[in-house]
Amino acid sequence: MDTQILNFNKVHFVTSAPDIRHLPNDGGVEIAFAGRSNAGKSSALNTLTKHKNLARTSKTPGRTQLINLFELEPGKRLVDLPGYGYAQVPLEMKLKWQKSLAEYLQRRESLKGLVILMDIRHPLKDTDMNMLEWSTHRELPVMLLLTKADKLSPGPRNNQVIKVRQAVASLGPQIQVEAFSSLSNIGVEKLAKTLTDWYLAGADEGLVDADEQESSEE
């Protein structure tokens, strides 16, 4: 029997925080969206949740300066992380955003999955590879979305997906690569199913941890 897909349309905004110290309690399951500031991260979140303005989009890359938290239902959250790879911002601001991003990725225990977005025409930049290598080190499942897939015809699009899959294969089987387009809804169903699976797996993991803790206290 197929797993019922979570209703991502039920999502609501919780908070924006400059760093992890200003986030709510580190419990439940969080799935974070990360990507270069021109990769279409906000558009992907808006398309997934069917909320036109859930995550603000901007023609100016690098406008997402905070960690933005949204809740689907109790214990299940989506996280919009600051964009990386942005160019025309002051160095001090750039370093501050990088620190905020790194702290969340390294220390947030409720983080159970990572969606990394890359423009299908320009994937696997150095900063993208750093994110993938880090996620492998932490043993996080990753869905690598090749965004703006509508910019390529089906043949070149499929070839690019295959090429990226081959390029990241050495990092491990936990990285799933799919084409995605907010405009033409390519890959939206696969994204929703994968995230649903992660939320359910993360919740089960939490129950196991709680059982183990109770057993150790007896």
Side-chain angles (χ1 to χ4, degrees), residues 33 51 62 141 162 168:
F33 280 58
H51 281 257
I162 292 170
V168 302

Side-chain angles (χ1 to χ4, degrees), residues 180-197:
F180 186 89
S181 169
S182 297
L183 286 178
S184 52
N185 288 324
I186 297 170
V188 177
E189 288 186 10
K190 287 184 180 179
L191 174 61
K193 185 182 185 309
T194 296
L195 266 56
T196 296
D197 291 343

Side-chain angles (χ1 to χ4, degrees), residues 9-187:
N9 192 35
K10 289 167 49 179
V11 72
H12 63 274
F13 173 76
V14 177
T15 190
S16 292
D19 52 55
I20 61 172
R21 286 170 289 280
H22 292 83
L23 290 174
N25 182 48
D26 191 0
V29 180
E30 291 179 357
I31 295 173
F33 280 58
R36 293 173 61 85
S37 54
N38 58 351
K41 179 164 55 71
S42 296
S43 296
L45 276 164
N46 292 342
T47 301
L48 171 68
T49 59
K50 299 179 182 176
H51 281 257
K52 188 176 181 180
N53 296 309
L54 181 78
R56 294 180 181 177
T57 57
S58 172
K59 292 182 180 179
T60 305
R63 292 294 291 275
T64 303
Q65 303 176 28
L66 302 171
I67 300 170
N68 298 300
L69 225 64
F70 307 92
E71 189 169 66
L72 294 169
E73 54 188 62
K76 296 181 176 69
R77 295 180 296 275
L78 285 169
V79 184
D80 183 12
L81 293 173
Y84 57 83
Y86 30 76
Q88 298 183 4
V89 295
L91 178 60
E92 183 179 353
M93 184 180 296
K94 188 174 184 178
L95 293 175
K96 181 179 178 182
W97 293 353
Q98 288 175 339
K99 181 181 178 182
S100 173
L101 177 63
E103 279 187 335
Y104 175 84
L105 294 172
Q106 292 168 8
R107 297 170 55 185
R108 190 72 172 172
E109 292 296 328
S110 52
L111 176 62
K112 301 299 182 184
L114 194 59
V115 179
I116 300 179
L117 301 98
M118 306 177 194
D119 188 321
I120 193 168
R121 300 163 298 177
H122 314 288
L124 302 177
K125 301 290 187 182
D126 289 344
T127 45
D128 296 324
M129 294 304 299
N130 290 340
M131 288 289 290
L132 289 168
E133 289 166 2
W134 173 87
S135 65
T136 299
H137 177 72
R138 191 174 158 178
E139 299 181 343
L140 271 180
V142 171
M143 189 169 195
L144 196 168
L145 291 185
L146 297 175
T147 61
K148 307 180 184 180
D150 55 281
K151 301 290 187 182
L152 300 180
S153 56
R157 180 194 309 153
N158 292 335
N159 289 339
Q160 189 73 319
V161 171
I162 292 170
K163 183 190 295 187
V164 173
R165 284 176 179 165
Q166 292 172 340
V168 302
S170 62
L171 294 175
Q174 78 285 356
I175 302 175
Q176 174 183 348
V177 181
E178 301 291 346
F180 186 89
S181 169
S182 297
L183 286 178
S184 52
N185 288 324
I186 297 170

